[in-house]
Amino acid sequence: MNGEHHYRLRSTWTGDRGTGTSGYREYDRAVTLEVDGKPAISASADKPFRGDPAKWNPEELLLGALSECHLLSYLHACVTTGVVVTGYEDDASGTLQEDGNSGGAFTEVTLRPRVRVADESMVEAALAAHKQAREWCFIANSVNFPVHHEPEVTVG
């Protein structure tokens, strides 16, 4: 499946309180993210940046994209090596460092996948599949900060 893939998303600011961006505190950070044929996502800035903590923020969406991409790449890697995965959860975390000039960047992300496999004989290959998943993950290959992995594999 080589080739170029194109994605489209519509971001709509819905936070005009009637005076636009007349002042830093005068507008809401509400955004709606839409992709044709899918449910819309209500998003906002993170709470420290005057956002709504009940809505998804860009930092969480980036962390989610890294976690999901690794998960999907990992499942594919397991299929190719004969590992039967029966459960997968990830407690991902990331660190964003502000630069003091109203900007900043992620400095690292750590994925902590807890994988359950069907048989004890699959544990070693299940752990090794994380390396292949890291190489295949489009999102991890697109960021300029380290994405660490602390996997755990159980049988059951």
Side-chain angles (χ1 to χ4, degrees):
M1 187 168 87
N2 291 334
E4 195 170 80
H5 303 274
H6 301 273
Y7 301 91
R8 292 180 181 266
L9 173 134
R10 181 178 305 110
S11 296
T12 305
W13 175 53
T14 57
D16 183 358
R17 294 178 177 152
T19 60
T21 57
S22 60
Y24 185 72
R25 290 178 168 79
E26 304 309 313
Y27 64 96
D28 194 301
R29 275 56 176 180
V31 175
T32 300
L33 303 175
E34 298 173 281
V35 173
D36 287 343
K38 298 179 183 178
I41 294 176
S42 293
S44 182
D46 194 11
K47 186 177 180 180
F49 309 110
R50 302 197 52 80
D52 182 344
K55 295 179 181 176
W56 286 87
N57 64 59
E59 296 81 10
E60 292 167 333
L61 291 166
L62 176 61
L63 189 59
L66 284 162
S67 179
E68 181 182 359
C69 188
H70 184 80
L71 181 158
L72 295 170
S73 298
Y74 179 79
L75 295 178
H76 179 67
C78 285
V79 166
T80 65
T81 59
V83 174
V84 178
V85 175
T86 59
Y88 186 114
E89 292 181 343
D90 182 14
D91 289 320
S93 62
T95 302
L96 181 133
Q97 181 65 51
E98 290 187 74
D99 65 11
N101 295 315
S102 298
F106 270 86
T107 57
E108 68 177 344
V109 162
T110 301
L111 305 179
R112 294 176 187 84
R114 291 183 314 280
V115 178
R116 191 173 57 251
V117 297
D119 189 84
E120 182 71 35
S121 65
M122 300 174 179
V123 171
E124 188 175 322
L127 285 167
H130 286 286
K131 182 179 184 303
Q132 182 64 67
R134 169 58 180 95
E135 292 173 9
W136 286 345
C137 178
F138 303 137
I139 307 303
N141 288 328
S142 300
V143 298
N144 66 352
F145 53 84
V147 179
H148 307 288
H149 302 90
E150 298 176 359
E152 178 184 313
V153 176
T154 59
V155 179

